[in-house]
Amino acid sequence: MNNKVFDALTGMYFTVDDPDGSYGTGQVVRLAAEGVYFIRFDGNEVTLPLELVSIGEMLETTDEEFKLWRFFDTIEERDKWIEWLDAPSKPRVISLVRPTK
């Protein structure tokens, strides 16, 4: 029997969507037990305490099958995603009238 536990998430940064449309950010700190990780959400002024999150929770999706958790190797990658996510969308004009000859 193999007692080796595969750990691919420690050190990764994340965003997690909230039901109200906002999102939280943080970092996976370390493996707590097989399939369970200590994570730390980003706080404004005070470092928030560690929380336990299971792989099952990290794999949850919305009713429309969108992932709630997104993982990034670096803070820069995560910040780029957040910048794109928070950017206002540009309106597009689509003509519904067929041009006449």
Side-chain angles (χ1 to χ4, degrees), residues 1-7 31 33-34:
M1 189 164 170
N2 188 356
N3 289 334
K4 201 181 244 185
V5 176
F6 184 70
D7 175 16
L31 190 65
E34 188 171 355

Side-chain angles (χ1 to χ4, degrees), residues 14-27:
F14 66 83
T15 63
V16 59
D17 294 343
D18 290 326
D20 66 1
S22 63
Y23 57 87
T25 61
Q27 184 177 23

Side-chain angles (χ1 to χ4, degrees), residues 50-95:
L50 298 177
E51 294 187 29
L52 287 171
V53 179
S54 71
I55 292 290
E57 290 174 89
M58 292 177 181
L59 294 175
E60 288 180 356
T61 60
T62 64
D63 293 338
E64 296 82 24
E65 299 299 317
F66 292 108
K67 294 178 186 179
L68 296 175
W69 291 74
R70 290 175 188 82
F71 296 93
F72 306 90
D73 290 324
T74 66
I75 273 187
E76 290 79 19
E77 288 176 1
R78 185 185 70 186
D79 289 348
K80 213 179 216 184
W81 168 260
I82 290 171
E83 185 180 321
W84 175 82
L85 190 63
D86 290 344
S89 59
K90 297 177 184 173
R92 296 184 337 178
V93 176
I94 300 173
S95 175

